[in-house]
């Protein structure tokens, strides 16, 4: 079995800091992409439900109810379906979770950049970088733990609102 040649070996503290900063930025990019995806899912679901609710209300309010009711009923059914789907996917909570992760990754990148910029090349230590790496790992741990907690929670009852 051959060793992974993409994995850097024997880096000095400055090179390790650059490697770690790249990992932090990759985490931030991941959180940004997921946040955008979840925000889109939450927004589309909410706008569809709102639009279909408004359309069915207007259609049912028109004078010639008998011919329009056939159109309004599927709209109401779709609103009910969207109301059931949204808590299952929980896009809004996932969006907020990724927003928090993105903030934490950005803050960590800022702290690492400041540490490197404010420390003489010979004074930067692996212990200092280890603290940054521990915080990086904690962000991922918190993200995964919270994600699993959200997935384990039962969906709220539609009658709870």
């Amino acid at each position: 079995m051959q060793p992974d040649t993409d994995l850097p070996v024997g880096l000095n503290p400055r090179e390790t800091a650059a490697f770690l900063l790249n990992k932090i930025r990759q985490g931030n990019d991941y959180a940004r992409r997921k946040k955008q995806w979840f925000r889109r899912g939450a927004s589309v679901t909410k706008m569809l439900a709102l639009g279909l609710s408004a359309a069915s209300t207007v259609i049912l309010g028109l004078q010639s109810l008998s011919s329009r009711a056939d159109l309004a009923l599927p709209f109401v059914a779709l609103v009910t379906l969207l109301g059931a789907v949204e808590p299952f996917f929980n896009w809004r909570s996932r969006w907020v979770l990724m927003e928090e992760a993105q903030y934490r990754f950005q803050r960590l990148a800022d702290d690492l950049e400041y540490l490197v910029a404010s420390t003489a090349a010979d004074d930067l230590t692996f212990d200092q970088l280890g603290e940054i790496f521990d915080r990086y790992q904690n962000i991922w741990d918190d993200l995964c733990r919270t994600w699993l907690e959200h997935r384990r929670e039962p969906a709220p009852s539609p009658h709870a609102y």
Side-chain angles (χ1 to χ4, degrees), residues 4 109 136:
D4 185 0
Y136 169 77

Side-chain angles (χ1 to χ4, degrees), residues 9-104:
V9 178
L11 301 179
N12 66 40
R14 288 275 176 189
E15 293 167 333
T16 301
F19 176 77
L20 183 53
L21 183 59
N22 185 48
K23 298 293 285 178
I24 294 167
R25 287 181 176 156
Q26 288 174 3
N28 196 2
D29 290 344
Y30 170 84
R32 180 182 302 109
R33 283 190 313 273
K34 289 296 190 178
K35 178 184 75 173
Q36 290 169 344
W37 175 255
F38 297 145
R39 180 178 54 211
R40 188 176 302 118
S43 299
V44 165
T45 303
K46 190 62 80 176
M47 295 309 289
L48 274 173
L50 180 62
L52 290 169
S53 293
S56 61
T57 301
V58 168
I59 289 169
L60 290 173
L62 295 176
Q63 293 296 334
S64 58
L65 180 63
S66 61
S67 65
R68 305 257 197 259
D70 293 340
L71 184 61
L73 185 59
F75 286 1
V76 172
L78 285 172
V79 169
T80 302
L81 178 65
L82 287 171
V85 165
E86 197 284 326
F88 178 77
F89 287 107
N90 203 6
W91 283 301
R92 191 173 195 300
S93 291
R94 292 159 67 184
W95 163 18
V96 171
L97 179 64
M98 291 302 157
E99 181 78 31
E100 178 190 0
Q102 190 178 5
Y103 161 77
R104 292 177 68 193

